Amino acid sequence: AQSVSQHNHHVILSEAASLELGCNYSYGGTVNLFWYVQYPGQHLQLLLKYFSGDPLVKGIKGFEAEFIKSKFSFNLRKPSVQWSDTAEYFCAVTTNTDKLIFGTGTRLQVFP
Amino acid sequence: DTEVTQTPKHLVMGMTNKKSLKCEQHMGHRAMYWYKQKAKKPPELMFVYSYEKLSINESVPSRFSPECPNSSLLNLHLHALQPEDSALYLCASSQGQGSYNEQFFGPGTRLTVL
């Protein structure tokens, strides 16, 4: 069965620190990859997506992610986090089933 | 308009009540979704409508009954729910159902079943 793993369940950082959140998926075929963010009390928003082409994808708010096919990974990065980045981050994939499968989420807390 | 709206924001209901959740989008999207999200968990797909027809039902109990009256509206009718059904119910829409389509999410309805 297709699945998405996010190994960092809770990450605590100080402002200006660099961020990398891991995401691995299990599926041997073609995948489309997404990172969503859920700020406290707000709806899920798309940060970035990868369908094909350049494996380094830039999204909103200074986030980027790199698709490494050989590692089945799509890690999210930001060089310098801000307090306003405090949120829950979900990696998600779609495959040939057209269903959006979410990872378990990573809670990021950024302290000033 | 790039919004998905959901009403009500909060709902408290007893186990014998009948209530409905509503979702609306005016982006011309032809696929609409219901997800259930428990606290500190990822959203779980419940139903998918494509061109107003139910295309995916993820083995959801019959006490949840979806309805798509037109391409802009999606309802979720609730009847005889259990306390474990308490959760955040999210609606989403996308241009089409295919895997290349970005889904836009609404803010959710927080449901409490007493």
Side-chain angles (χ1 to χ4, degrees), chain A residues 30 32 34 36 38 42-46 49 51 88 90 94-100 102-105 107, chain B residues 33 35 37 40-45 48 56 58 88 90 97-108:
Chain A
T30 302
N32 300 305
F34 305 82
Y36 280 87
Q38 195 169 28
Q42 294 191 30
H43 61 277
L44 276 164
Q45 299 171 43
L46 185 70
K49 60 191 176 190
F51 292 160
E88 187 89 21
F90 292 98
T94 58
T95 64
N96 60 346
T97 66
D98 294 343
K99 296 178 192 175
L100 186 62
F102 286 89
T104 48
R107 184 174 168 222
Chain B
Y33 310 77
Y35 289 85
Q37 187 178 21
K40 300 188 192 305
K41 298 286 186 187
E44 294 175 1
L45 183 65
V48 181
I56 296 177
E58 289 288 274
L88 182 67
L90 298 169
Q97 189 185 330
S99 59
Y100 290 93
N101 289 276
E102 173 190 345
Q103 292 184 27
F104 292 78
F105 285 82

Side-chain angles (χ1 to χ4, degrees), chain A residues 4-62:
Chain A
V4 181
S5 302
Q6 291 181 245
H7 303 294
N8 315 105
H9 297 296
H10 190 188
V11 173
I12 302 173
L13 294 172
S14 299
E15 274 193 320
S18 64
L19 170 72
E20 180 157 4
L21 301 182
C23 172
N24 289 88
Y25 62 92
S26 64
Y27 182 68
T30 302
V31 292
N32 300 305
L33 298 149
F34 305 82
W35 275 98
Y36 280 87
V37 62
Q38 195 169 28
Y39 298 104
Q42 294 191 30
H43 61 277
L44 276 164
Q45 299 171 43
L46 185 70
L47 273 179
L48 46 79
K49 60 191 176 190
Y50 173 79
F51 292 160
S52 63
D54 188 344
L56 186 60
V57 180
K58 293 199 184 300
I60 60 171
K61 305 189 183 196

